[in-house]
Amino acid sequence: MTPKKRYLLISLVAALAGAAWWLAPFGLEKGGALSPSTVYTRSAETGGTEKPCPDEHPEWRQAQTIDGVSIDEALSCDPDNPYDIAAAVKGTNNISMATLMQTRMAQDAVVKKDDLDGDGDPDVIEIKLEVVELNGASPDGEFLINTFDIAPGIKPGLWVFAPKSQGMALKNFFTMQANPILRAPSPTIRVEQGDTVKLTLENIHYLPHTIHLHGVDHPFMTAAGEDNDGMEEHAVFPGASHTYEMKPRHTGTMLYHCHVQTAQHMMMGLSGIFVVEENKPNNWVQTFNIGAGQVRHPSVKVKEGYSREFDLLYQALDKKLSAVIQNANDARLISKRMSREYNITESHENYFLLNGHSFPYTVRDGLIAAGENENIKLRIANAQRSPMALHIHGHKVTVTATDGVERPEAVRETRDVLDIAPAQRIDVDLKTVNDGLHSYGPGVWMFHDHASNGETTDGMEPGGNISLIGYQAYLDDKGMPKMHDEMLDVAFDKNYYAKKQPPWAQGDFTEMLGEPGRIEPNILKLAAFGLSCGGAFGLFVYLIFTGYRRRQ
């Protein structure tokens, strides 16, 4: 190539490259998120509303007595059905038909009878559980049934143990929403020390399951010589039932879970808290705490030392595993994909739950409502596969028991970060005395897993198992925090967790921290402009020089 042609080629390339670099940003698409003007809001006029507190049953929050059962006040937005509590305390065999019909429990869901020790409460307890699928594929595969949102717009496939129920599984046929008793997590079960307990699994599911009593005192075999430990080799197959027997001598916070393909079935949701209360006179314990959270009929022992009690069950889900039951409805195909194709050693925990929900739904029913100068009992269980570092803002709590074993006073620790291994349980004293140690004073204080993925929902933060300790002065009449309106506006929008909305797309921050729009790299544009000009100048010089030579 001659020097003149080489000069011409370099000039042309420089001019074209500079022009392309200059114009490229105008051809880029905008970011995938919706602009702030079109996202769902809490305004009823937009039709995209989701109220932070639906406030469907404000009367359920009141302290009340049903069929002789005293039920404590609940200060949270979404309290338990008080009729469920009455049935769980008295037994479905000892309440009026009117009360039973206000629940969804079967008449033999929890039967209580025979005061064997003559201390005023029943000592023979018969409990029946079923395995229920939430957010699974319909028979035709066109939609999901028994839907249960863990957060706005998020419906992972789940399995849960549930009290034996009556009637339809659906609360709303058109939305396929599950009735309230069919929800995550599996209910906390409470019995009294020394009770003769018969726990029956009636397996209405399409796969085999068991109930393993993790940490609960129970014999290896039943009185009839059958399996009593709930291991995989004694699976309860679809359509069958099996009764586990125990007479627990040791009190404490324990677990129960499925022990068939344990890694997968626990991560699908089949675990719950099991509490053995101290034997006391006239101690009618709340056998089911549906949804966990506040125990609104605490045991006699708990009421001696605490003003309130809460059950906190932490779980995590793998969205790949959860999707198995949403992408197929043939039990053989589900079994194959879950058992032989899914590899848990290559899996991830994507959804982190506290009492069956992720933030912001945890604020509705996982919030710990507190008053000043209280002593509150927390029973905490880690049913996820990863360890936790539970951090409580504004407080330091005292660990009083580990794995159901009371700690002597001399070795009790007061901490603001609690290490909880998988399957481990701890009992905690939360004191709200404003002394600079146990509490820094009233407020709305966050508590969450300080392993940072635990406070996300499929990578979006805030999410996961974040919840709040809310002092009464900082809660509104619906049990929602007064100081977090802007954050809740964003978090209760399903577009946020669908990753279609920036986290700060409201108010004065919309332009500064909202959607980036077209990318306009000014420094690069300046460089491109220089390159383009240089190439054009070189081309111009070449043409002038060539024309001059021709004239000569």
Side-chain angles (χ1 to χ4, degrees):
M1 181 181 292
T2 65
K4 289 193 298 183
K5 289 183 178 180
R6 186 181 300 112
Y7 183 84
L8 175 62
L9 180 62
I10 292 172
S11 298
L12 283 172
V13 169
L16 291 173
W21 202 348
W22 171 266
L23 295 173
F26 295 95
L28 294 177
E29 294 184 359
K30 290 187 175 182
L34 299 175
S35 66
S37 61
T38 59
V39 298
Y40 289 104
T41 72
R42 287 163 59 185
S43 170
E45 288 77 18
T46 66
T49 180
E50 179 168 354
K51 297 179 181 178
C53 181
D55 205 26
E56 293 181 356
H57 293 283
E59 72 281 4
W60 285 2
R61 298 192 193 105
Q62 302 167 6
Q64 52 197 285
T65 300
I66 298 175
D67 278 8
V69 177
S70 61
I71 300 168
D72 290 349
E73 178 187 30
L75 298 176
S76 59
C77 157
D78 192 11
D80 294 336
N81 179 352
Y83 293 95
D84 289 342
I85 299 169
V89 173
K90 289 290 288 291
T92 47
N93 60 318
N94 294 321
I95 56 175
S96 66
M97 184 56 65
T99 295
L100 181 63
M101 294 308 294
Q102 293 294 320
T103 77
R104 294 295 185 98
M105 294 188 206
Q107 200 160 6
D108 58 347
V110 51
V111 173
K112 298 189 174 185
K113 58 187 181 182
D114 301 340
D115 181 6
L116 300 178
D117 58 9
D119 67 349
D121 56 64
D123 298 311
V124 176
I125 316 296
E126 299 173 358
I127 302 167
K128 292 189 176 179
L129 296 179
E130 301 171 328
V131 173
V132 177
E133 181 165 289
L134 303 174
N135 303 327
S138 63
D140 57 8
E142 294 296 320
F143 51 88
L144 303 181
I145 57 174
N146 286 343
T147 60
F148 174 80
D149 291 35
I150 65 167
I154 300 178
K155 307 174 189 286
L158 277 164
W159 295 336
V160 295
F161 293 111
K164 184 179 178 180
S165 62
Q166 60 172 319
M168 296 263 312
L170 298 176
K171 175 183 177 181
N172 186 313
F173 181 79
F174 296 101
T175 63
M176 292 295 161
Q177 185 179 1
N179 80 55
I181 206 172
L182 308 181
R183 58 153 296 170
S186 304
T188 298
I189 296 175
R190 270 180 171 75
V191 299
E192 192 185 29
Q193 177 186 24
D195 281 351
T196 298
V197 182
K198 295 184 177 182
L199 177 60
T200 299
L201 173 61
E202 295 187 353
N203 190 8
I204 61 173
H205 197 233
Y206 51 78
L207 290 181
H209 300 286
T210 64
I211 295 176
H212 170 62
L213 300 162
H214 183 126
V216 184
D217 175 26
H218 64 281
F220 182 67
M221 302 180 74
T222 67
E226 298 178 343
D227 167 64
N228 205 39
D229 198 38
M231 294 302 292
E232 189 157 10
E233 60 268 28
H234 299 290
V236 183
F237 278 80
S241 65
H242 184 76
T243 299
Y244 304 90
E245 300 174 357
M246 72 207 84
K247 192 174 182 178
R249 297 161 289 182
H250 184 74
T251 63
T253 305
M254 319 299 183
L255 278 178
Y256 69 101
H257 61 81
C258 180
H259 224 304
V260 173
Q261 295 179 332
T262 316
Q264 293 95 318
H265 288 206
M266 279 193 72
M267 191 174 274
M268 285 296 293
L270 289 176
S271 59
I273 296 174
F274 195 108
V275 178
V276 181
E277 298 280 7
E278 186 175 324
N279 191 330
K280 292 281 188 177
N282 202 29
N283 192 23
W284 293 72
V285 299
Q286 185 181 325
T287 300
F288 289 135
N289 187 13
I290 296 169
Q294 183 179 355
V295 184
R296 294 181 64 187
H297 186 86
S299 70
V300 171
K301 174 65 174 177
V302 168
K303 285 189 284 190
E304 290 175 356
Y306 300 92
S307 55
R308 306 173 199 269
E309 179 184 13
F310 292 83
D311 299 326
L312 305 178
L313 179 67
Y314 288 87
Q315 296 170 289
L317 308 175
D318 175 6
K319 66 180 182 180
K320 182 178 178 181
L321 178 63
S322 293
V324 170
I325 65 172
Q326 297 178 329
N327 296 329
N329 51 31
D330 184 322
R332 298 165 298 180
L333 186 56
I334 290 172
S335 177
K336 178 184 177 184
R337 289 178 178 175
M338 189 171 287
S339 308
R340 292 184 278 162
E341 297 178 2
Y342 174 79
N343 186 344
I344 197 166
T345 65
E346 299 173 351
S347 68
H348 299 278
E349 292 174 306
N350 305 102
Y351 300 121
F352 295 85
L353 313 181
L354 167 59
N355 291 348
H357 281 138
S358 298
F359 181 85
Y361 285 176
T362 51
V363 178
R364 290 177 176 173
D365 61 3
L367 179 143
I368 297 174
E372 296 185 59
N373 301 311
E374 289 190 328
N375 191 21
I376 298 171
K377 185 176 184 65
L378 308 180
R379 297 182 188 269
I380 305 172
N382 180 9
Q384 60 190 45
R385 78 165 191 220
S386 55
M388 294 182 61
L390 183 61
H391 173 47
I392 302 175
H393 291 205
H395 300 78
K396 286 181 168 57
V397 297
T398 302
V399 180
T400 61
T402 305
D403 292 342
V405 180
E406 285 286 327
R407 290 188 176 189
E409 290 279 354
V411 296
R412 292 185 177 182
E413 297 177 301
T414 299
R415 311 177 62 175
D416 60 25
V417 178
L418 305 171
D419 299 318
I420 314 174
Q424 191 170 58
R425 295 86 58 210
I426 59 173
D427 290 12
V428 166
D429 281 7
L430 168 67
K431 298 183 189 299
T432 61
V433 55
N434 183 5
D435 60 2
L437 172 65
H438 299 93
S439 171
Y440 305 164
V444 179
W445 301 98
M446 182 188 296
F447 64 98
H448 61 93
D449 186 357
H450 223 291
S452 296
N453 54 348
E455 55 187 10
T456 69
T457 297
D458 197 18
M460 289 298 291
E461 184 183 4
N465 55 39
I466 291 173
S467 193
L468 304 170
I469 298 172
Y471 283 68
Q472 294 180 36
Y474 288 82
L475 301 178
D476 63 22
D477 59 356
K478 297 178 182 178
M480 297 296 286
K482 296 177 180 178
M483 298 176 59
H484 293 262
D485 287 347
E486 288 190 357
M487 188 66 255
L488 292 180
D489 279 342
V490 174
F492 277 98
D493 189 327
K494 64 182 180 182
N495 281 322
Y496 182 74
Y497 291 105
K499 304 182 181 181
K500 296 180 179 179
Q501 176 180 327
W504 306 108
Q506 79 274 342
D508 297 335
F509 297 102
T510 299
E511 292 300 323
M512 183 169 68
L513 295 172
E515 281 308 316
R518 291 190 178 94
I519 301 172
E520 297 183 1
N522 293 329
I523 295 177
L524 295 182
K525 282 178 65 176
L526 185 62
F529 180 72
L531 182 62
S532 180
C533 289
F537 179 75
L539 183 62
F540 174 75
V541 169
Y542 174 80
L543 292 174
I544 293 296
F545 179 77
T546 302
Y548 174 78
R549 292 290 300 272
R550 286 175 180 173
R551 284 195 301 272
Q552 294 299 317

